[in-house]
Amino acid sequence: MAEPVTDLDRPGTGASAAPTTPPPGPRTAAPWLVGGAVTAVLLLLAGRYGYHRDELYFLLCGRHLDWGYVDQGSLVPALARLADTVAPGNLVLLRTPSALIAGAAVVLVAALAREFGAGRGTQLAAAVLAAAAGVVLAPGHLLSTTTVDLLVWLAAAWFAVRMLRTGDTRWALALGLVLGVGMLNKLLPALLGVGLLAGVLIAGPRRLLRDRWVLAGAGIAVLLSVPYVAWQAAHGFPQLSVASSIADGDSSYSGRLDAVVLQLIIISPFATPVWIAGLVALLRRPAWAAYRAIGWAWLVVFAIVLLAGGKGYYDAPLLLVLTAAGAVVTADWARRGAARARQALLATAAALMVASSAILLLPTLPADRLPGFVVDVNYDAGETIGWPAFADSVAAVHRNLPPGEQARAVVLTGNYGEAGALARYGPARGLPRAYSGHNSMASFGRPADDADLVIAVGWERPDRLRAWFTEVTEAGRVDQRVDVDNDENGEPIFVCRGLRRPWSQIWDSEVTHAS
């Protein structure tokens, strides 16, 4: 008996969509030029300001290579280790992978627009939108797990769109490969997989769920994720504790209200109407019925992020996919009615988008005269300023100790960025080793049990320190010598004496939970 055909399996909704889906647009080299320009600009600016706290942490993780860490997989620490081995202390080389990824992201967004039928001019417009997008420029300036996620999600989305348009399910093998490699970075690509699965269940074609190539692609993704998942399982899934902390608002860019607001600004406020138009078109345009699963994928992913209290940028690469679709819709709109007026409006919005992104997202302004509103909008900018001066402040406290105490002192920091900064800049300043209980730093070593003289930095209040020491004295303040509002500038530095219990008794149970 023939299997009944549902609307979700008919031509135009999935694997047989080619007869009714508009053909891709013509090829053009323009997006490659835009992507190359983005990479070049990012490389030129890569050495300005300084390390980000996360980059300092990745360098430390790279010294302790493993299949996983409390808050991430092994991919980015391995990249950091490679860069620091080839050229120690070279910030430009450290950030080169991110600059290349940002350029590739621009090309992929234009390629997605081409899949939706964009002409040469519209593909160029999509590339410009991506080139000025916050989710491309900000991660493109720093080495981060978010940067790798950007490439993984966009490449996976392109493979998915290709599969839906052509009906060739062998693209699922590439999709699974990309998702699997991405899960060596973080488990977030699994969220994209869930979104795509839900999109197919809702909008079709459901026959993909039993296609052998799709199942093989899913198997590849699962197989490649085994090393990191196995590490997490062996260590009690610490990523769940990190996720719970994020949901409680103990991290930047977290919180449900922030997640909603971030959707409106993370590409650019000027581009928000474009991606919204793309979403509506993906869900409603008859000629794009084959792609409805993509629109639903974003809705599902964002709903999960919102309900789980995740960071609002987790779904941002999918917003770029919507932007690619929206560029086609916007180009159609610009050609109707008062075309010149509409095109002038779009050109003005694009110019404002580029200008605002250059000021807010890239280190184009002098660090010592950085306006407060830049850090208010771009928290990460403040976290790339002042680390050498931070180390100077701790070193000044260390030098003021009596010689006998200097010789046996250690440093205890409140977070991994501070420990990473002292690992990078401390030896040249005669500082002892810095320890921290923050995230995977806790497993990189603890002070010796008899280390009873501690310089503590990154602890705004001494209450916790007094539970471990009989004497806690404020001995200085961090002075980064610039007027920037970040997490370190102006914080107290304490000298702690008289350890109440050995570190082996308090490290795992108290210090790691306090950091």
Side-chain angles (χ1 to χ4, degrees):
M1 179 182 295
E3 184 178 355
V5 178
T6 68
D7 287 342
L8 294 177
D9 286 325
R10 292 184 187 281
T13 60
S16 302
T20 56
T21 302
R27 296 185 183 278
T28 174
W32 290 88
L33 297 176
V34 177
V38 167
T39 295
V41 169
L42 289 171
L43 288 175
L44 286 172
L45 297 175
R48 285 177 60 84
Y49 295 5
Y51 290 92
H52 187 271
R53 69 168 60 251
D54 289 353
E55 293 173 317
L56 294 164
Y57 175 48
F58 297 142
L59 287 167
L60 282 178
C61 289
R63 298 179 185 178
H64 302 82
L65 283 179
D66 204 343
W67 280 111
Y69 302 88
V70 168
D71 45 359
Q72 66 198 356
S74 58
L75 192 54
V76 171
L79 287 174
R81 171 71 174 268
L82 177 61
D84 205 46
T85 300
V86 173
N90 190 311
L91 189 55
V92 175
L93 183 61
L94 182 72
R95 291 174 172 173
T96 294
S98 299
L100 294 171
I101 286 174
V106 169
V107 174
L108 280 169
V109 171
L112 281 160
R114 177 178 178 269
E115 291 296 316
F116 296 133
R120 292 185 176 88
T122 304
Q123 291 176 52
L124 175 60
V128 171
L129 285 172
V135 70
V136 172
L137 288 182
H141 175 58
L142 309 171
L143 179 65
S144 73
T145 55
T146 303
T147 316
V148 175
D149 275 339
L150 174 66
L151 180 62
V152 168
W153 284 52
L154 285 176
W158 186 73
F159 291 135
V161 169
R162 290 278 292 182
M163 180 173 62
L164 291 171
R165 182 182 63 79
T166 65
D168 186 351
T169 52
R170 288 175 296 181
W171 285 105
L173 299 177
L175 173 57
L177 177 64
V178 169
L179 291 179
V181 171
M183 282 189 280
L184 294 176
N185 174 56
K186 274 197 170 183
L187 294 178
L188 282 178
L191 179 61
L192 174 59
V194 169
L196 292 172
L197 174 63
V200 169
L201 280 170
I202 295 168
R206 290 177 183 159
R207 67 176 64 182
L208 291 178
L209 303 179
R210 55 184 182 271
D211 183 274
R212 60 173 180 161
W213 295 113
V214 173
L215 295 175
I220 291 172
V222 171
L223 183 63
L224 288 172
S225 70
V226 165
Y228 182 36
V229 174
W231 187 95
Q232 284 283 327
H235 292 79
F237 288 100
Q239 184 75 63
L240 297 178
S241 298
V242 174
S244 177
S245 176
I246 291 172
D248 290 338
D250 296 335
S251 184
S252 59
Y253 306 114
S254 62
R256 291 177 176 85
L257 179 59
D258 286 347
V260 173
V261 172
L262 208 56
Q263 306 308 299
L264 305 178
I265 63 175
I266 196 165
I267 304 297
S268 171
F270 301 105
T272 298
V274 176
W275 73 253
I276 291 176
L279 174 63
V280 173
L282 287 170
L283 295 176
R284 299 186 60 181
R285 182 177 277 198
W288 285 1
Y291 307 129
R292 283 183 185 150
I294 302 297
W296 279 105
W298 176 77
L299 290 170
V300 170
V301 168
F302 178 58
I304 293 173
V305 170
L306 202 60
L307 292 173
K311 294 191 178 186
Y313 59 74
Y314 286 169
D315 64 300
L318 278 180
L319 289 179
L320 285 173
V321 179
L322 302 183
T323 301
V328 178
V329 178
T330 304
D332 291 342
W333 173 83
R335 286 190 286 266
R336 297 196 304 267
R340 288 188 178 179
R342 295 184 179 194
Q343 291 165 11
L345 176 64
L346 292 176
T348 301
L352 291 172
M353 180 178 174
V354 171
S356 61
S357 294
I359 293 172
L360 297 174
L361 304 175
L362 296 177
T364 53
L365 300 178
D368 58 350
R369 295 191 295 278
L370 190 65
F373 70 82
V374 172
V375 178
D376 291 340
V377 173
N378 181 12
Y379 162 84
D380 288 327
E383 296 306 311
T384 61
I385 295 173
W387 289 114
F390 168 84
D392 287 339
S393 299
V394 177
V397 171
H398 182 252
R399 284 194 302 271
N400 286 334
L401 295 174
E405 290 189 340
Q406 286 185 33
R408 72 175 200 270
V410 297
V411 180
L412 181 66
T413 72
N415 65 60
Y416 57 57
E418 295 161 348
L422 296 180
R424 170 70 179 83
Y425 298 108
R429 292 161 172 80
L431 281 171
R433 178 175 173 179
Y435 299 89
S436 177
H438 189 204
N439 288 12
S440 281
M441 284 296 306
S443 65
F444 296 165
R446 56 176 171 78
D449 276 351
D450 60 351
D452 62 346
L453 195 291
V454 169
I455 300 171
V457 62
W459 307 82
E460 293 184 1
R461 297 170 56 189
D463 302 7
R464 175 64 69 178
L465 298 172
R466 290 197 176 102
W468 304 328
F469 297 92
T470 59
E471 179 185 338
V472 178
T473 305
E474 183 175 325
R477 291 261 169 179
V478 173
D479 180 9
Q480 295 182 316
R481 298 192 287 273
V482 291
D483 184 18
V484 61
D485 182 18
N486 60 23
D487 289 352
E488 279 68 43
N489 212 6
E491 70 180 1
I493 305 172
F494 301 99
V495 172
C496 308
R497 299 178 175 88
L499 187 65
R500 296 181 185 273
R501 289 171 291 154
W503 287 107
S504 58
Q505 294 181 14
I506 65 176
W507 188 257
D508 291 337
S509 60
E510 298 180 36
V511 178
T512 59
H513 295 287
S515 296

